[in-house]
Amino acid sequence: MAQHLRCYVYPAWEKRALGAIKPGDVQSWVTSLTTTHGLAASTSRTVFNTVNAVFRAAVRDRMISHNPCAEAKLPSVPRKKIVPLAVEQVRTLSEEIPARYKGLVLLGAATGLRPGELFGLQLRHVDLLHATVSVEQQIQQTAKHGVYVCPPKTARPHRTVPLPRMAVDAMKAHLRDFPADGPESWIFTAPQGGPVVYTHFMDGSWRPACAKAGIPKGTGPHALRHHYASLLIKHGESVKTVSERLGHTNAAMTLNIYTHLWPDSEERTRAAVDKAYADQSADAQPQVDEAA
């Protein structure tokens, strides 16, 4: 963020009073981020969001009356179509990753939990008797706060997810090999003990395992979540169900991410109309016969 400010914000605005900056000035600056500086659309949006936050704070503190960023048009970010991992890829990954994380891979593939939610699981959250897992917290890592436990992203991610048989078996095997001492014990731990640290997990376990399994470089643990969603969609689950299982804020978010995975409906819509009219024709036939 500091680098963005030095390179793209201060040169444009440091000699201007906040109140002197107009919406047109902001729009020209936003356009220049991609046309002059050659920034990607996503990076341009990140830089803009920092500036927008400054102006919002200025409005809140009554330093200015209007936020000139309010109606700026931002460059659109092309959405990449998600290509989910195949079942065999997940199986191979689970065999290549260190044994203490095999259960994590299989549980992520079977529940769609976010990486932080998987890291934040304690024994009290897993009910093998009733085959459920409760999502109540996550572990995050930031440069400012380090590694810390916090609630899920929003209220919606607090959820109970059913465990399929493969996940129950994976958890039983994991807890047999890596026992948890009590309800507050972490299910998955770092090699030296304590909760899993994302950067250490990625560098020491995930990336090497992906390389051995032939999984494309740059694939992160979130791929397990996409894999889970793709399985639900493939087997006919509704948008509402998929959204609830994933803990999305709403179904629109689920559609926005996974709409290309739902089966094409052209043939089904044709068949629906043809069936309706075929049924009507069949109903009308006896009446025609009687009239004759």
Side-chain angles (χ1 to χ4, degrees):
M1 182 180 294
Q3 182 180 359
H4 289 165
L5 291 172
R6 287 195 303 271
C7 294
Y8 311 116
V9 180
Y10 295 151
W13 308 120
E14 65 181 348
K15 295 182 180 180
R16 300 277 298 274
L18 288 178
I21 300 173
K22 306 301 180 185
D25 299 327
V26 173
Q27 188 62 63
S28 297
W29 170 73
V30 169
T31 302
S32 74
L33 292 177
T34 54
T35 58
T36 303
H37 297 287
L39 297 184
S42 58
T43 307
S44 297
R45 284 173 169 262
T46 299
V47 176
F48 169 82
N49 289 338
T50 301
V51 172
N52 189 30
V54 172
F55 279 109
R56 286 205 311 268
V59 171
R60 184 185 64 240
D61 294 339
R62 299 182 181 179
M63 297 176 64
I64 56 177
S65 60
H66 176 71
N67 179 0
C69 295
E71 299 178 3
K73 295 181 179 179
L74 305 180
S76 58
V77 179
R79 180 170 292 280
K80 296 180 179 179
K81 286 188 176 181
I82 292 168
V83 180
L85 295 176
V87 171
E88 283 307 314
Q89 287 179 301
V90 173
R91 283 178 175 160
T92 304
L93 177 61
S94 71
E95 295 299 330
E96 295 293 349
I97 207 162
R100 67 173 52 251
Y101 299 130
K102 178 177 181 177
L104 185 148
V105 169
L106 295 176
L107 185 64
T111 62
L113 269 61
R114 298 175 176 89
E117 294 170 346
L118 289 168
F119 299 157
L121 287 178
Q122 294 174 305
L123 188 59
R124 61 191 174 91
H125 298 133
V126 179
D127 185 347
L128 296 182
L129 180 62
H130 297 95
T132 61
V133 59
S134 300
V135 181
E136 300 176 5
Q137 62 187 29
Q138 62 175 331
I139 289 181
Q140 288 295 321
Q141 180 183 16
T142 65
K144 182 177 181 180
H145 298 101
V147 178
Y148 63 101
V149 180
C150 61
K153 292 178 67 175
T154 64
R156 184 76 181 271
H158 286 81
R159 62 199 187 279
T160 299
V161 181
L163 293 178
R165 171 53 55 185
M166 66 83 89
V168 172
D169 292 342
M171 285 297 93
K172 287 180 178 178
H174 175 80
L175 292 172
R176 181 191 64 235
D177 297 336
F178 302 93
D181 297 331
E184 303 297 320
S185 298
W186 303 109
I187 295 290
F188 305 108
T189 59
Q192 67 276 17
V196 179
V197 178
Y198 184 82
T199 51
H200 297 168
F201 170 75
M202 292 296 293
D203 293 338
S205 301
W206 179 269
R207 291 192 182 102
C210 284
K212 293 177 182 177
I215 292 174
K217 188 176 181 179
T219 301
H222 217 82
L224 299 174
R225 182 169 167 83
H226 298 322
H227 169 79
Y228 173 73
S230 72
L231 294 182
L232 297 189
I233 293 168
K234 182 179 179 180
H235 286 83
E237 292 291 355
S238 67
V239 178
K240 180 177 181 293
T241 298
V242 177
S243 179
E244 289 176 350
R245 294 289 183 267
L246 294 174
H248 281 164
T249 303
N250 51 53
M253 177 185 292
T254 308
L255 275 177
N256 193 34
I257 299 172
Y258 299 114
T259 186
H260 64 287
L261 296 181
W262 257 276
D264 189 281
S265 61
E266 287 185 5
E267 288 304 320
R268 291 202 302 273
T269 53
R270 291 192 188 104
V273 175
D274 287 340
K275 184 177 186 304
Y277 277 87
D279 290 345
Q280 288 182 5
S281 298
D283 292 342
Q285 188 63 39
Q287 298 177 8
V288 173
D289 293 341
E290 290 175 6

